[in-house]
Amino acid sequence: MRRVLAGVVAAAIALSAVPGFAQEKLTVWWVKGFYKSEDEALYAAIKKFEQKTGVKVDLSQYAVQDMNAKSVAALESGTPPDVAYSDTYDVQTAGKWAFDGKLEDITDIIEPMKDRFAPVTIETAYLYNDKTKKKAYYGFALKQQTLHIQYWKDMLGQAGFKENDIPGTWKEYWSFWCEKVQPAVRKATGQRVYGIGSPMGVESTDSFQSFLSWVDAYNVKLVDDSGKVLVDDPKVRQGLIAALKDYTDVYVKGCTPPSSTTWKDPDNNVAFHNRTTVMTHNYTISIAAKWLDDANNEALTPEQRAAGRKAYDELIATSGFPKKPDGSPMVYRTAVKVGVIFQDSKNKARAREFLKFLFEEDNLRPYVEGALGRWFPVTKAGQESPFWQADRHRKAVYDQFKAGTLPFEFTKNYKFTILNNENVWAKAMNRVVSEKVPVEKAVDEMIARIKEVTK
C-alpha cells in the first residue's frame, strides 16, 4: 500500500511538472494592433516570457473601441485581468481609476528605470490616488503619438501647386487647402474632392485630440501645473472662441466632407485613402503606414503591393503644422499610451515580472517599431534607433517629437478624462456646425460643462 501511495504521489509530482498541467497563468488583455507586424512582435515577446518563466500567458485582444467597456465591466464584476493595455486608457480612464484607488502602485518597477525614459512620457502615468492622498506611478508608459499632417502630393499637383507653395503661417495655411487647392483639384478632376479632412465626430478621439492642438495653437492653458482649472480667465475664453471658430470654419466653408460630424476614428483615414480628401490631420502616421503595410502584405496581388509602395515612397507626404497664429513654432502635445495592473488583479507578482520583461529594450523596441511608425518610443534608446531615420515619414515624426512636446490636461487634473470621454470638444463643434449655434455660445456651454465636471 505504501509503495502504491508513493507511486501515486510520484506520478502526481511528475504530472505537475509537465508543461500545461496545472500551469501558472497570467491573464493579459491587450488592444488589437493595427498591423500584423505589431501583433507578431507582441506574440514574440510573450513567447519569450513564457519560455523564461514557465508561466502561461492567457492573452485576449480586443478592438480599441471595445477595450474600455470590457475593462470597466471586468472591474465592476471583480474579475479584471492581471495586466491590461489599451490605446485610449490614457485619455479616457486611467486617471479616474487611479483617483478611485482601482490601480496598483507600480512605482517599484518604474522608479529604477526612470532614467531610460524621454521627457514628457512617464509623467502621464504619475497619477493621483484619492484614497492614499498622493501621486504615484499607477500605470506604465508604453509608447506615444502626436498630431501630423498627411497629404497627397499628386493631388496637390493636380491642383496646380507644388509643395513649396504651401504657406507656413496659420491662417494662410488652412486657407490654402480650403480656398485654393479644393476648387482647383475639383476643376482638374471633375470630382467632389475636399481640401481638408477634419474629424468632428463625438465618438472620435481624433476629433478632440485634433481640436486641443488648435487650443495649443492659440496658447490657451486650461489648467495650471497644480491642476487648477483656468476657464474663468477671459483670455482663456477668447482663445477657445478663436480655436473653435478656426476649427469649425473648415466645415462651414464646405472644405471637409459633410460626414465629418459623424466620423469615428478610422473615418478620416478612409476618406484620405479613398482620395476624397487631399489632406488630413491625424494622431499618428497610420495613414501612410497603411500603404507600407500593403506593400509588405504577401496576401495582396503584386499590383496592390506595388501601389502601396508607390503611395508610401512617392505620393504621400507627412509634415508638421504651420506656425501658430502669433508666429511662434507649434509645440505638439503628446498622447502617451499607458497600461495598468489593477488593484484587484489576481496575479500581481507575475504581472510585475511581465512588465519588467516587456520593458527590456530588446522586447519593447520590436513591438513599437512593429507598428510601422504609428507609435513613437518613450525610451531614449528607442528614439535613437535607425528605424526613425529610415524614411521621410518616420523622420518627420522624429523631428516633431524632438522639437519638444506638451502633456494633456488629464495628467494634471484627472477629471479631464471625463470631459474627453464625453467629448465636450466635439459636442461644441456640432453645436456650431449642425445646430447653427454661435461659436461664443457653444464655448460658454463648453466652459460651463468643464466647470461642472471639475468642481
Side-chain angles (χ1 to χ4, degrees), residues 138-212:
Y138 286 103
F140 54 92
L142 193 69
K143 52 198 182 184
Q144 59 183 326
Q145 59 182 171
T146 194
L147 194 63
H148 314 285
I149 298 290
Q150 301 207 298
Y151 58 88
W152 287 106
K153 294 196 289 183
D154 59 326
M155 293 181 76
L156 184 65
Q158 286 178 308
F161 297 101
K162 298 177 182 177
E163 288 186 275
N164 59 13
D165 293 323
I166 302 172
T169 50
W170 188 263
K171 294 286 187 183
E172 292 76 14
Y173 182 87
W174 300 107
S175 176
F176 172 77
W177 295 104
C178 180
E179 296 165 18
K180 293 185 178 181
V181 173
Q182 178 171 301
V185 77
R186 285 183 174 187
K187 183 177 180 180
T189 63
Q191 297 177 339
R192 196 182 181 193
V193 176
Y194 293 87
I196 303 169
S198 282
M200 304 178 78
V202 173
E203 295 182 56
S204 165
T205 60
D206 280 337
S207 60
F208 75 75
Q209 291 184 140
S210 278
F211 174 70
L212 288 172

Side-chain angles (χ1 to χ4, degrees), residues 212 214-240 324 333 406-409 412 416 425 447 450:
L212 288 172
W214 264 248
V215 171
D216 295 337
Y218 280 91
N219 300 314
V220 176
K221 283 189 68 175
L222 297 173
V223 295
D224 65 16
D225 290 341
S226 69
K228 180 185 176 184
V229 178
L230 305 174
V231 292
D232 280 331
D233 184 340
K235 291 182 180 178
V236 170
R237 178 179 180 271
Q238 287 305 313
L240 286 172
K324 297 178 183 180
R333 60 171 64 203
L406 297 168
F408 275 75
E409 290 82 6
K412 299 168 184 176
F416 275 81
W425 326 104
I447 287 173
I450 292 170

Side-chain angles (χ1 to χ4, degrees), residues 116 163 336 379 449:
R116 292 179 51 206
E163 288 186 275
V336 180
T379 62
R449 182 57 182 158

Side-chain angles (χ1 to χ4, degrees), residues 149-155 195 197 257 263 266-281 287-288 291 311 315-317:
I149 298 290
Q150 301 207 298
Y151 58 88
W152 287 106
K153 294 196 289 183
D154 59 326
M155 293 181 76
W263 277 356
D267 292 327
N268 66 315
N269 298 45
V270 172
F272 186 89
H273 297 322
N274 292 341
R275 300 172 75 89
T276 305
T277 61
V278 183
M279 71 89 85
T280 191
H281 34 93
I287 286 174
W291 295 94
L315 303 183
I316 298 172

Side-chain angles (χ1 to χ4, degrees), residues 335-352:
V336 180
K337 304 292 133 182
V338 301
V340 299
I341 298 173
F342 293 104
Q343 184 69 44
D344 290 341
S345 295
K346 301 298 186 289
N347 198 349
K348 290 187 280 193
R350 288 296 192 183
R352 279 179 152 77

Side-chain angles (χ1 to χ4, degrees), residues 308-376:
R309 175 55 63 185
K310 183 177 177 65
Y312 188 79
D313 288 345
E314 301 175 29
L315 303 183
I316 298 172
T318 297
S319 72
F321 268 57
K323 290 181 179 178
K324 297 178 183 180
D326 67 2
S328 63
M330 187 72 173
V331 180
Y332 302 91
R333 60 171 64 203
T334 177
V336 180
K337 304 292 133 182
V338 301
V340 299
I341 298 173
F342 293 104
Q343 184 69 44
D344 290 341
S345 295
K346 301 298 186 289
N347 198 349
K348 290 187 280 193
R350 288 296 192 183
R352 279 179 152 77
E353 192 174 349
F354 178 75
L355 288 191
K356 290 177 184 176
F357 181 82
L358 183 62
F359 272 91
E360 292 175 11
E361 203 64 45
D362 288 347
N363 300 320
L364 184 60
R365 185 180 297 181
Y367 172 66
V368 176
E369 294 180 1
L372 308 180
R374 184 169 176 252
W375 304 110
F376 194 64

